[in-house]
Amino acid sequence: MSVARQSASQHASQPHSLAGAGTLSVRELSKRYPGGLLANDGITLEIRSGEVFGLLGPNGAGKTTLVKQIIGLLRPTSGQISLDGYDLVRDPAQARQLVTYLPQSSLPIDSLTLRQVVGLVGRIRGGDRAMVHRRATEMIEALELVPWADSLGIKLSGGVKRLVGFVMASVWPASLVILDEPTNDVDPLRRRLLWQQIRRLGRQGVSVLLVTHNVLEAEQSVDRLAVIDEGRIIAQGTPSSLKAPDRRCLRLRVNLIPGVEKPEIPQICRHHTLVGRRLHLLIDETDAGDAIQWARASIEHGIAEEYALGAATLEDVYIRLIGRDDALEMMVDRRGDA
Amino acid sequence: MSSSAIEMSTSSLGPMMKRRGLVHWLRSYALLVEWEARSLRLLLPLAIVAQILLGAGLAIGFGFLMGEIPTIEAQFLATGVTVISMITVGLVLVPQIVSQRKYAGIYDYMWSLPVPRTSSVAASLTVNSFIALPGMVLALLVASWRFDLSLQISPLVVPAALLTLVSAASVGFALAHAISNPLLTNLVTNVLLFVILLYSPINFPPDRLPGWLASLHHGLPFQHAANVMRAGLTEGLATHAGESFAILAGWAAAAWIITAWVVGRRP
């Protein structure tokens, strides 16, 4: 049993605990837009109570379409969605009661302060003023947002706005919190605090559906994840289970010199990807010595600047699953570290 | 703040109950009015000043255009400019605010809140209608002063002004939600403004229009908005006020039905 679920069951004994709620079941869900685009194609997944579930996929894979159907903004073409036993396709108003949502798009916070907007959202979600205020204060302090607590939204940076959005989605959660790219533009320090808060939601028995491009961060923070591409779930499981096929593999990253052609890939390479100037090679761990020799030779021949050898990550699995170099390119672009 | 404090307060959150019915609607409406009013806080002073300038400016500007005019025409003009200042908020400002919010994706968030969507629309209409009030009052005062009129204000002016504001804002809201392209919304509102200012029997009696246009206007809300306001501000100038109230209410209801359908649908 995961830590999250252990904590959830501990909370179950407390009065008014949320634990036990938050089981989302999506069955054979398809969505075809009026123009003919099949954005979701028979998606089946389940999120258990208190689980932090990651949804990874390149742009246009169908992630936001899936989320909008769960929250009741879009009507599925076919399939079922249920949460805590409620049929959310038939009763979208119930979806809005049970699910809180941080969208990727703008939030209506420009003319309000963090405290004001979080207070309003908490009360709209059914909290009483004093409790909402207390919980908002706790979250603002935990995310180190105190300096901006009384600033108007229009004056906040993009990263702080995302954190405000997270507090809005989490200040009075119900069964499921959906976070669409919560870490976008957030600085590394607060990103860590944010992940702690996301994990804490899970420990409190609130399920979290996390839509992200940030595979490496997701690897550290989710209990399970699904990879979606072209509207279909192509893999699902824990980060470790998805990495299992590459367990005895290493990743060699070689930074090429600008302007040089891609070098000939050595025979020992099982899979390779070129993202900008970064060449990633997946190799068997028994071939580590040969890989280092090849990388050194590339530097000596003026092809590469530097190299690094490390364990294969979820990112390698992701690229292999998606089967396209641009999948990682998009992720790297979004992280801004290309 | 220790993490235990957060855990403790979260564990005391109540399970999310199904909240529906009139009490839920009214509570949601009150909170969303607060949100709307705060959201427009930066825009509100500017919008009110613009409305005041528009209302007073119309009264003075039409005076230049028409020179010295008989009392009846002056009464038409004085009451007409108040109606124009109200209608422009509903049919121009409201659709532009809604379009801008749609473009920014803000409704993705707003429609995910556990509130009846009609309460959200009603809150938006309430606050946006409020913007028109100062301009309306000042337009009336300036026009009365400019044309040396003494108006006969009756309590009927309150429902007349409310119905005019609500129907114009409802039509504007429905328009902005029904048209998906924000540029097209802007185009339509500009054309509407042109039609309202020059080709609607608001500042003048409908019998000055060609027959076909007068007939058309009999079914549109503009002349009826002017007529109900005249019923509340003058004596003997408004005819068939009851019919105008009914037609205006019909437009408000139709716009509400369209708006409720547009905001309630799941594409």
Side-chain angles (χ1 to χ4, degrees):
Chain A
M1 183 184 279
S2 71
V3 174
R5 271 173 278 135
Q6 279 173 0
S7 295
S9 53
Q10 283 158 9
H11 276 276
S13 59
Q14 297 178 11
H16 308 302
S17 171
L18 295 171
T23 301
L24 175 79
S25 171
V26 176
R27 293 267 169 273
E28 290 297 324
L29 193 75
S30 293
K31 174 66 185 177
R32 188 181 289 281
Y33 285 108
L37 174 72
L38 185 60
N40 285 169
D41 183 7
I43 286 181
T44 294
L45 58 84
E46 186 168 297
I47 302 178
R48 297 158 199 153
S49 177
E51 192 170 50
V52 179
F53 190 93
L55 187 63
L56 308 181
N59 292 336
K63 304 186 295 292
T64 301
T65 298
L66 172 60
V67 163
K68 284 187 172 181
Q69 289 172 98
I70 295 171
I71 198 82
L73 295 175
L74 288 174
R75 183 192 298 276
T77 306
S78 62
Q80 294 148 18
I81 307 169
S82 71
L83 179 59
D84 300 344
Y86 289 100
D87 179 349
L88 301 191
V89 177
R90 199 174 57 82
D91 191 358
Q94 189 62 37
R96 293 193 285 276
Q97 305 270 3
L98 295 173
V99 184
T100 58
Y101 176 43
L102 167 63
Q104 244 189 302
S105 54
S106 303
L107 294 162
I109 60 172
D110 279 0
S111 305
L112 292 95
T113 67
L114 195 173
R115 279 190 209 283
Q116 286 169 346
V117 74
V118 171
L120 275 168
V121 170
R123 284 156 64 206
I124 284 171
R125 297 211 69 88
D128 82 291
R129 191 188 288 262
M131 281 296 291
V132 168
H133 176 76
R134 181 179 166 198
R135 179 140 166 85
T137 302
E138 290 166 355
M139 294 193 73
I140 288 167
E141 288 178 3
L143 288 165
E144 298 186 2
L145 291 172
V146 176
W148 296 283
D150 297 306
S151 303
L152 289 180
I154 200 166
K155 294 181 178 165
L156 303 178
S157 67
V160 175
K161 278 184 183 171
R162 293 307 289 164
L163 293 170
V164 173
F166 172 74
V167 180
M168 288 164 74
S170 313
V171 68
W172 208 262
S175 294
L176 174 68
V177 175
I178 298 180
L179 305 170
D180 198 344
E181 299 289 358
T183 58
N184 272 5
D185 303 326
V186 177
D187 68 68
L189 174 67
R190 284 190 182 75
R191 205 181 280 192
R192 246 178 43 203
L193 299 174
L194 176 58
W195 284 115
Q196 285 172 10
Q197 293 302 310
I198 292 170
R199 291 298 326 171
R200 185 158 288 139
L201 280 172
R203 284 201 300 277
Q204 290 159 357
V206 178
S207 306
V208 179
L209 173 57
L210 189 77
V211 179
T212 184
H213 285 84
N214 199 327
V215 184
L216 289 179
E217 282 185 353
E219 182 177 359
Q220 306 299 317
S221 307
V222 301
D223 296 315
R224 287 190 308 129
L225 59 97
V227 180
I228 181 171
D229 189 34
E230 296 179 347
R232 289 187 299 276
I233 300 285
I234 55 172
Q236 199 171 165
T238 63
S240 296
S241 69
L242 291 181
K243 283 193 301 183
D246 296 336
R247 194 155 282 152
R248 302 183 67 81
C249 290
L250 294 172
R251 174 168 68 164
L252 178 67
R253 193 196 76 215
V254 179
N255 282 12
L256 301 178
I257 289 174
V260 301
E261 293 280 308
K262 187 172 92 173
E264 193 177 329
I265 305 299
Q267 294 284 325
I268 53 170
C269 176
R270 294 169 62 158
H271 182 267
H272 77 277
T273 318
L274 181 64
V275 181
R277 291 192 295 117
R278 294 196 311 181
L279 184 62
H280 295 253
L281 297 93
L282 198 64
I283 57 160
D284 199 279
E285 63 185 10
T286 54
D287 294 325
D290 291 344
I292 289 170
Q293 260 188 347
W294 177 83
R296 280 183 179 157
S298 298
I299 292 172
E300 282 164 14
H301 291 119
I303 298 168
E305 289 176 323
E306 61 174 341
Y307 72 91
L309 189 65
T313 66
L314 194 62
E315 209 166 71
D316 301 298
V317 178
Y318 177 84
I319 294 165
R320 180 166 47 76
L321 287 168
I322 300 291
R324 298 197 304 269
D325 294 359
D326 65 334
L328 185 59
E329 187 104 54
M330 284 184 282
M331 292 189 301
V332 172
D333 285 349
R334 294 186 73 86
R335 285 208 306 268
D337 60 356
Chain B
M1 177 64 57
S2 68
S3 61
S4 61
I6 297 173
E7 307 263 351
M8 190 171 64
S9 65
T10 306
S11 67
S12 61
L13 299 181
M16 187 58 73
M17 304 302 288
K18 230 175 184 174
R19 291 179 292 131
R20 285 175 189 179
L22 184 63
V23 173
H24 174 51
W25 195 96
L26 291 172
R27 186 174 187 273
S28 303
Y29 170 75
L31 287 165
L32 291 165
V33 164
E34 186 182 340
W35 193 326
E36 275 289 333
R38 289 184 189 277
S39 293
L40 290 176
R41 186 167 53 184
L42 299 177
L43 180 70
L44 213 58
L46 283 175
I48 288 175
V49 168
Q51 274 310 109
I52 289 171
L53 290 176
L54 176 74
L58 279 172
I60 295 168
F62 275 120
F64 289 140
L65 186 70
M66 301 174 84
E68 290 306 313
I69 50 175
T71 307
I72 298 289
E73 272 78 358
Q75 282 181 324
F76 261 96
L77 201 56
T79 50
V81 292
T82 63
V83 174
I84 287 176
S85 72
M86 286 192 284
I87 288 181
T88 47
V89 168
L91 289 179
V92 178
L93 188 66
V94 167
Q96 287 178 356
I97 289 173
V98 172
S99 271
Q100 185 263 328
R101 287 182 181 176
K102 268 174 68 180
Y103 186 71
I106 280 172
Y107 287 110
D108 273 359
Y109 181 78
M110 294 308 287
W111 295 159
S112 76
L113 291 173
V115 294
R117 290 186 183 171
T118 50
S119 73
S120 179
V121 176
S124 186
L125 292 185
T126 304
V127 175
N128 284 299
S129 297
F130 175 77
I131 294 173
L133 286 176
M136 181 202 95
V137 173
L138 206 76
L140 195 62
L141 292 175
V142 170
S144 304
W145 163 77
R146 171 67 182 80
F147 300 112
D148 198 19
L149 295 174
S150 59
L151 298 165
Q152 307 290 316
I153 299 173
S154 80
L156 211 57
V157 75
V158 175
L162 282 177
L163 196 56
T164 302
L165 282 169
V166 168
S167 52
S170 305
V171 172
F173 212 90
L175 198 72
H177 272 291
I179 301 172
S180 55
N181 185 339
L183 286 175
L184 191 58
T185 307
N186 279 349
L187 191 70
V188 170
T189 56
N190 285 333
V191 171
L192 266 177
L193 188 61
F194 175 71
V195 170
I196 292 163
L197 279 174
L198 292 177
Y199 293 96
S200 297
I202 293 174
N203 286 323
F204 51 85
D207 55 23
R208 290 194 189 168
L209 291 172
W212 66 270
L213 192 52
S215 301
L216 179 67
H217 267 294
H218 189 71
L220 294 175
F222 309 122
Q223 88 176 48
H224 300 292
N227 202 36
V228 296
M229 284 300 288
R230 270 177 208 122
L233 292 170
T234 63
E235 221 163 73
L237 204 60
T239 54
H240 309 296
E243 185 192 19
S244 288
F245 266 112
I247 291 175
L248 206 53
W251 270 93
W256 254 100
I257 290 167
I258 292 170
T259 302
W261 174 74
V262 169
V263 301
R265 71 186 167 168
R266 269 187 303 162

